[in-house]
Amino acid sequence: FSRFLIFLFLGPNFLGMGSYKTYERLATEMLLASGHHLVAKDFRMDRFQADVITKNDDVLLVVEIKY
């Protein structure tokens, strides 16, 4: 991959809307609809954790949901 991006998706916990999994699903659906391909969900390696990892052409996108 020639580009590596980290995307932080913030859910409105303070409004009491939805759940953590709702925002993880919404972020995943948004990325898939924009042409990304799912690489992994709930990825963990040592101290590293990512909720969603996708790729699109030469971009690897790592997404962390903060709720």
Side-chain angles (χ1 to χ4, degrees):
F1 299 99
S2 65
R3 292 184 288 171
F4 175 80
L5 303 172
I6 298 176
F7 177 69
L8 181 63
F9 186 86
L10 300 174
N13 185 32
F14 59 91
L15 295 176
M17 297 171 53
S19 67
Y20 167 81
K21 286 294 181 183
T22 299
Y23 292 102
E24 185 175 310
R25 181 180 48 79
L26 288 172
T28 302
E29 289 174 1
M30 178 187 72
L31 291 167
L32 295 178
S34 68
H36 285 253
H37 302 281
L38 186 63
V39 174
K41 285 185 79 173
D42 299 321
F43 179 81
R44 296 183 195 287
M45 184 175 71
D46 296 328
R47 299 173 104 191
F48 176 77
Q49 187 268 331
D51 294 313
V52 180
I53 301 175
T54 65
K55 67 177 182 173
N56 186 3
D57 297 326
D58 63 341
V59 176
L60 185 67
L61 183 64
V62 178
V63 179
E64 175 65 22
I65 311 295
K66 291 295 179 191
Y67 180 74

